[in-house]
Amino acid sequence: MKNIFGLLFVVLIIFPLKGITQSKPPSPPNIAAKGYLLIDFKSGKILAEQASSEKLDPASITKLMTAYTVFKSIKSGQIGLDDEVLISEKAWRTQGSRMFIEAGKKVKVTDLLKGMIIQSGNDASVALAEHAAGTEETFVQIMNQLAIDLGMSNTNYTNSTGLSNNNHYTSASDIAKLAKALIEEFPDYYRWYSEKQYTFNGIKQSNRNSLLWRDESVDGIKTGYTENAGYCLVASAEREGMRLISIVLGTESASARSSESQALLNYGFRFYETYSLWGENESISNERVWKGESDSTELVVKNQIFVTLPRNNKNRVIIKKIINEVITAPINTNTKLGSIQAELDGEIIAKASLYSSEIINEGNFFTNAWDELLILLK
């Protein structure tokens, strides 16, 4: 009987999805940068890349992790947005871009965050680090631990600002992981990255991300520059429900980082589309249950699954279901009962496990005996 229960059967379904078949998209544009990456936010599909795993100086792109670390501290209740931070002399003296805070004065965490995000203030970064962890050095340890937690294997931070250091580096692929986590986990704070200007202490400064003025679909995210790193930009844009993240590191000018990022975003939106293949807890099929209090159950996909495809290729997607031939009670909602996968041109583009939508307890003696007989006949 154990061998029978282990059998599987495969159901092949070709969905008549609407659309016009289109050949593969053209190659991505040539990008003049040390490293770059274009990725879909929802599916994680990489649409263009070059040297995306190479360790590079991130300059002020570092502040994405500084912000992420502070957001984590706020979420945990360790610090608050309305906390007043006493500005240290170290923060005040920090070199590079500034929001012009003054030593010995108190500034709210909210203001410091805006000063760091919108104005790229190095002084604000250090002040936030000291408030969240006591010292910038301790804060950097937390930054590096969070990088490990996010799977950023080509990253190491030595400061909260992005000032150049031989042991301070990351990669385009690691930045993509961080940007995705920041947008996904902290949407309420992410909106600050779309603000074009910020005034503090009577000084108005503009966001250095010029794409916020050039492309209304762009809503973030961060620029960076040092002589060693070159001009860098992480940009994110959303059009018709499709969000892309582009990372461009080491271009030759501020205008180049913007134009190269724009080229990547336009390429992705023009030639690709992202859609939900299966929704959260979506029912895939109704299957027979043996020896249970109920004789059937809905098999569902637990998490929403997105795919990114060349435009107008939905009608060429092939769906395959692989389901246990004999499903017997007791069953819980964490018992894998099969799987489903989507293929395009013989390549698996998405897959998910299937689970029962409900707990089904074992039936009584008579149900078990009768179903045992039917299984034998089957």
Side-chain angles (χ1 to χ4, degrees):
M1 293 302 296
K2 291 182 179 179
N3 291 334
I4 294 177
F5 295 159
L7 294 176
L8 301 172
F9 71 91
V10 179
V11 178
L12 176 63
I13 303 175
I14 302 179
F15 283 105
L17 301 174
K18 295 181 180 180
I20 301 173
T21 301
Q22 176 180 300
S23 59
K24 292 183 178 180
S27 299
N30 293 321
I31 302 299
K34 295 178 183 177
Y36 65 84
L37 179 68
L38 178 66
I39 190 169
D40 183 88
F41 171 76
K42 292 180 178 177
S43 70
K45 173 77 172 178
I46 294 174
L47 307 182
E49 66 176 326
Q50 178 177 289
S52 62
S53 296
E54 185 175 340
K55 296 176 180 177
L56 297 171
D57 187 334
S60 283
I61 304 301
T62 299
K63 295 185 178 81
L64 291 181
M65 178 56 86
T66 305
Y68 183 74
T69 305
V70 173
F71 295 160
K72 286 278 193 180
S73 296
I74 295 170
K75 185 177 181 179
S76 68
Q78 293 176 329
I79 65 174
L81 287 172
D82 292 328
D83 289 358
E84 292 195 336
V85 180
L86 182 63
I87 304 304
S88 69
E89 185 170 345
K90 177 185 177 181
W92 172 62
R93 289 186 179 277
T94 303
Q95 298 177 348
S97 53
R98 301 181 182 184
M99 70 175 287
F100 298 104
I101 51 180
E102 299 176 50
K105 292 192 175 181
K106 292 184 177 181
V107 181
K108 284 188 177 183
V109 167
T110 301
D111 292 325
L112 290 171
L113 281 169
K114 289 182 178 180
M116 179 180 68
I117 290 169
I118 303 168
Q119 299 174 332
S120 197
N122 287 346
D123 49 1
S125 301
V126 174
L128 286 166
E130 291 177 336
H131 181 64
T135 66
E136 184 182 17
E137 291 73 21
T138 302
F139 185 83
V140 169
Q141 293 179 39
I142 302 171
M143 291 171 66
N144 284 319
Q145 183 57 56
L146 289 175
I148 292 171
D149 295 343
L150 290 172
M152 298 168 64
S153 57
N154 295 311
T155 296
N156 187 71
Y157 299 111
T158 61
N159 58 65
S160 64
T161 60
L163 292 173
S164 292
N165 181 292
N166 289 336
N167 203 34
H168 188 98
Y169 54 81
T170 188
S171 67
S173 58
D174 279 1
I175 292 170
K177 295 174 184 176
L178 172 58
K180 184 177 187 301
L182 191 151
I183 296 170
E184 203 167 52
E185 295 180 37
F186 303 104
D188 291 339
Y189 302 148
Y190 175 69
R191 61 184 172 82
W192 287 330
Y193 287 94
S194 66
E195 294 190 17
K196 297 178 180 179
Q197 295 177 326
Y198 183 61
T199 300
F200 180 80
N201 204 18
I203 302 172
K204 180 189 288 187
Q205 295 189 70
S206 296
N207 194 317
R208 292 171 173 81
N209 182 2
S210 64
L211 291 186
L212 294 174
W213 282 266
R214 292 169 48 176
D215 184 343
E216 62 182 19
S217 70
V218 173
D219 56 15
I221 184 172
K222 189 72 188 74
T223 62
Y225 169 75
T226 61
E227 185 175 350
N228 185 58
Y231 292 85
C232 310
L233 174 58
V234 180
S236 184
E238 187 173 25
R239 302 179 191 174
E240 299 178 350
M242 179 182 182
R243 177 176 290 279
L244 298 179
I245 298 172
S246 67
I247 298 99
V248 173
L249 303 177
T251 65
E252 293 185 351
S253 67
S255 60
R257 71 184 174 192
S258 296
S259 60
E260 300 292 45
S261 298
Q262 186 75 75
L264 281 174
L265 292 171
N266 287 344
Y267 169 79
F269 285 121
R270 175 68 66 186
F271 297 108
Y272 290 90
E273 61 183 334
T274 298
Y275 67 96
S276 177
L277 194 59
W278 304 299
E280 184 178 357
N281 293 319
E282 179 178 336
S283 177
I284 301 300
S285 65
N286 184 280
E287 300 297 334
R288 177 74 160 90
V289 174
W290 304 89
K291 302 183 179 182
E293 291 180 340
S294 175
D295 61 4
S296 67
T297 186
E298 296 289 330
L299 297 190
V300 301
V301 172
K302 285 192 173 184
N303 301 312
Q304 189 170 22
I305 304 294
F306 291 92
V307 292
T308 301
L309 301 174
R311 284 197 172 272
N312 302 321
N313 271 260
K314 291 182 181 180
N315 63 324
R316 301 178 58 234
V317 174
I318 295 174
I319 305 296
K320 293 180 179 179
K321 292 190 297 182
I322 305 173
I323 300 171
N324 291 20
E325 185 176 18
V326 178
I327 299 174
T328 59
I331 299 170
N332 62 50
T333 55
N334 292 319
T335 302
K336 180 181 176 181
L337 300 175
S339 62
I340 188 169
Q341 65 188 41
E343 297 181 4
L344 180 63
D345 294 332
E347 178 186 355
I348 298 174
I349 57 174
K351 58 183 178 180
S353 298
L354 298 177
Y355 302 90
S356 174
S357 63
E358 58 184 327
I359 296 172
I360 300 178
N361 296 317
E362 189 174 3
N364 58 37
F365 172 80
F366 297 103
T367 298
N368 286 353
W370 177 248
D371 280 359
E372 181 71 27
L373 177 59
L374 293 179
I375 290 170
L376 287 171
L377 294 174
K378 176 180 172 64

